[in-house]
Amino acid sequence: MSATVKHLSAFQRDILYVVSDLETSYGLGIKDALEEYYGEEVNTGRVYQNLSTLVEEGYLEKSAIDKRTNSYTLTETALQAIEHRHNWQQTRADSQLVG
């Protein structure tokens, strides 16, 4: 079975999509991108807590940029899970357009 994101929260899925879109994905940059998408302030602690969860679950890899800043990149598991989710959504949308 391929990797999926179905057990992740919508916020965690949004983090994965943001990380996939940013050239350099670091905590505050991810937070800024989420705030731009949501149109409202996002709690910093919520972002970092969910980043840690996604690292622990194998969706993100964390590496140090400097002593205070970490960068986050998608793992192969995350890439497969995003592709699976995209295909699932596309199939649902296509069936609605045809039906």
Side-chain angles (χ1 to χ4, degrees):
M1 183 173 152
S2 64
T4 67
V5 293
K6 62 185 172 187
H7 71 283
L8 299 179
S9 70
F11 187 73
Q12 290 169 331
R13 287 192 304 264
D14 290 344
I15 288 174
L16 294 179
Y17 286 113
V18 164
V19 169
S20 74
D21 194 42
L22 292 174
E23 189 172 315
T24 303
S25 299
Y26 60 97
L28 291 178
I30 294 166
K31 178 184 180 292
D32 290 345
L34 289 167
E35 288 176 342
E36 182 178 327
Y37 174 67
Y38 291 137
E40 60 186 50
E41 187 174 337
V42 175
N43 181 285
T44 304
R46 181 178 181 207
V47 172
Y48 284 105
Q49 179 182 18
N50 282 280
L51 286 169
S52 292
T53 298
L54 291 167
V55 169
E56 289 170 14
E57 292 189 12
Y59 290 95
L60 294 175
E61 289 181 357
K62 180 170 88 169
S63 58
I65 294 175
D66 58 37
K67 290 184 180 188
R68 294 181 43 137
T69 309
N70 293 311
S71 68
Y72 298 87
T73 55
L74 298 177
T75 63
E76 187 61 34
T77 298
L79 292 169
Q80 290 175 5
I82 288 171
E83 181 179 7
H84 181 268
R85 177 71 176 200
H86 174 74
N87 291 336
W88 180 83
Q89 288 178 303
Q90 189 65 47
T91 301
R92 299 301 152 308
D94 289 347
S95 69
Q96 289 297 313
L97 294 174
V98 172

